[in-house]
């Protein structure tokens, strides 16, 4: 019994075939081709599926279902992509179209949700059923799993920690709000703040770089650069406050940190843990693990395969 997992991104489609125990038989990726329209994207998914099946010699009957993580808002019950800006989709009936192409049941969910499911099944969250996961990259994504099930909430997208307000008069966010966590602690925010400090004329190892990226700030901080450390400590402070507030509200048994910024290690984790514990204060009556995600780029398609497995068992309906 095998399952197809697809992580549908704005530029790349990652996929894998996974067995019912979580073992990855094969994996691969193709360009999304979003600019060519929805039919081109569907063709890429179909081609990737055929390629993966051919590699491991799986027949049509052995592949029991497919799960897909979508970078946007999803109506899980109807199989619709309500809004996926990077794909230019609105109210797109993806499930129906893919079921015709692939000939197997298909289930969709938000990409942050499937990544969290992947970590729960085969990654850092294997020993937990109540999980808060946050990914810190270009933006900030998040997911909540309670009793082993994705919490989607009334709007269907569950947790949106990137748009929790942590600074009332902070920077304007693309969502229209001010002081969203994403504007203050994402990789994009870290780069913007570092540039602002450099424009003030401060000395730094970052000075002179034609293209400044978040990884440059992380490396410089690790080398003791004062400007880079200040920027990261500020971002970690906002993250710590937001995570503490979410923990006090939800009460998870573990917090999992994913994304490129979180993977930088102690240079960001140290100040983040310190601010997190400070914000929790006396309410932290027992240790709450803050763990790094383990699956990396595999989390999306592994979680999507788990989504298909759960649906087949009747757990995802």
């Amino acid at each position: 019994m095998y399952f197809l997992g697809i992580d549908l991104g704005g530029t790349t489609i990652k996929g894998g075939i996974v067995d019912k125990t979580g073992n990855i038989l094969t994996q691969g990726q193709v360009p999304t081709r979003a600019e060519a329209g929805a039919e081109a994207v569907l063709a890429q998914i179909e081609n990737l599926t055929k390629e993966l099946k051919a590699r491991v010699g799986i027949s049509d009957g052995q592949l029991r279902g497919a799960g897909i993580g979508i970078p946007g808002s999803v109506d899980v019950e109807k199989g619709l992509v309500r809004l996926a800006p990077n794909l230019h989709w609105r109210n797109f009936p993806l499930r129906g179209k893919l079921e015709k192409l692939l000939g197997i049941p298909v289930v969709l969910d938000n990409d942050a949700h499937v990544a969290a499911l992947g970590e729960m099944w085969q990654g850092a969250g294997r020993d937990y059923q109540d999980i808060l996961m946050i990914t810190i990259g270009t933006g900030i994504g998040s997911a909540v799993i309670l009793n082993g099930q994705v919490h989607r909430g009334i709007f269907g997208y569950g947790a949106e920690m990137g748009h929790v307000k942590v600074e009332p008069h902070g920077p304007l966010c693309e969502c229209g709000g001010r002081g969203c966590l994403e504007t203050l602690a994402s990789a994009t925010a870290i780069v913007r703040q570092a540039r602002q400090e450099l424009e003030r004329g401060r000395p730094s190892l970052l000075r002179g770089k034609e293209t400044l990226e978040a990884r440059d700030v992380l490396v410089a901080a690790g080398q003791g650069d004062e400007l880079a450390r200040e920027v990261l400590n500020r971002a970690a402070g906002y993250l710590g406050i937001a995570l503490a507030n979410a923990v006090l509200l939800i009460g998870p048994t573990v917090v999992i940190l994913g994304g490129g910024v979180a993977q930088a290690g102690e240079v960001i984790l140290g100040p983040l843990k310190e601010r997190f514990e400070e914000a929790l204060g006396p309410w932290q009556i027992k240790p709450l693990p803050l763990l790094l995600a383990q699956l990396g780029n595999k989390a999306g398609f592994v979680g999507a395969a788990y989504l298909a497995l759960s649906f087949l068992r009747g757990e995802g309906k």
Side-chain angles (χ1 to χ4, degrees):
M1 186 183 295
Y2 304 106
F3 299 89
L4 173 69
I6 296 289
D7 183 5
L8 179 55
T11 57
T12 304
I13 302 170
K14 302 179 184 70
I17 292 178
V18 180
D19 68 19
K20 63 181 180 181
T21 66
N23 180 49
I24 300 170
L25 277 69
T26 187
Q27 59 185 298
Q29 65 181 52
V30 293
T32 304
R33 296 192 62 208
E35 71 287 348
E39 295 304 318
V41 176
L42 293 175
Q44 289 293 83
I45 294 174
E46 183 182 22
N47 292 337
L48 177 59
T49 301
K50 288 178 178 178
E51 178 187 334
L52 295 174
K53 286 170 63 178
R55 281 188 203 168
V56 290
I58 289 178
S59 65
D60 290 340
Q62 291 176 297
L63 196 62
R64 302 296 299 278
I68 303 189
I70 306 295
S73 175
V74 177
D75 186 324
V76 175
E77 291 186 4
K78 294 182 179 179
L80 295 175
V81 178
R82 288 297 186 194
L83 180 64
N86 291 339
L87 299 172
H88 316 294
W89 291 356
R90 185 184 290 271
N91 293 324
F92 184 68
L94 180 61
R95 183 176 68 196
K97 288 181 176 291
L98 274 183
E99 285 183 340
K100 287 181 182 178
L101 277 178
L102 304 180
I104 53 177
V106 173
V107 59
L108 332 175
D109 209 333
N110 171 267
D111 55 357
H113 291 169
V114 298
L117 287 172
E119 289 292 336
M120 182 186 74
W121 190 30
Q122 295 296 323
R126 274 175 291 197
D127 297 325
Y128 304 93
Q129 291 287 293
D130 298 306
I131 298 169
L132 170 62
M133 182 168 174
I134 183 168
T135 56
I136 312 162
T138 303
I140 289 182
S142 58
V144 173
I145 294 177
L146 300 175
N147 296 320
Q149 300 290 321
V150 172
H151 171 70
R152 298 187 179 92
I154 190 172
F155 301 117
Y157 49 69
E160 274 290 353
M161 283 196 62
H163 299 285
V164 168
K165 308 301 183 283
V166 291
E167 187 64 72
H169 304 292
L172 182 65
C173 181
E174 290 186 8
C175 76
R178 282 196 175 274
C180 293
L181 183 64
E182 192 165 282
T183 69
L184 294 160
S186 64
T188 306
I190 287 169
V191 169
R192 186 188 70 248
Q193 292 168 23
R195 283 178 177 154
Q196 289 172 347
E197 294 298 324
L198 288 169
E199 287 171 3
R200 294 187 178 103
R202 293 185 57 183
S204 172
L205 296 172
L206 299 172
R207 187 163 296 285
K209 288 187 176 293
E210 292 184 10
T211 303
L212 186 63
E213 298 182 357
R215 68 169 64 93
D216 298 321
V217 182
L218 294 165
V219 169
Q223 295 172 342
D225 185 83
E226 184 178 349
L227 183 155
R229 281 189 174 273
E230 282 184 19
V231 168
L232 284 188
N233 287 348
R234 192 180 308 141
Y238 286 118
L239 284 165
I241 291 171
L243 285 173
N245 287 339
V247 165
L248 288 169
L249 182 65
I250 299 165
T253 50
V254 66
V255 176
I256 298 176
L257 308 171
V261 173
Q263 298 300 319
E266 196 59 28
V267 70
I268 185 75
L269 286 180
L272 171 54
K273 287 180 178 178
E274 182 179 340
R275 192 67 184 94
F276 172 70
E277 292 177 0
E278 179 184 316
L280 276 180
W283 298 107
Q284 184 168 311
I285 58 176
K286 60 181 179 180
L288 177 67
L290 268 69
L291 305 179
L292 288 178
Q294 294 177 353
L295 296 181
N297 290 334
K298 299 176 185 177
F301 74 76
V302 170
Y306 178 78
L307 193 68
L309 171 62
S310 298
F311 185 81
L312 186 69
R313 289 173 173 171
E315 298 169 8
K317 295 182 181 180

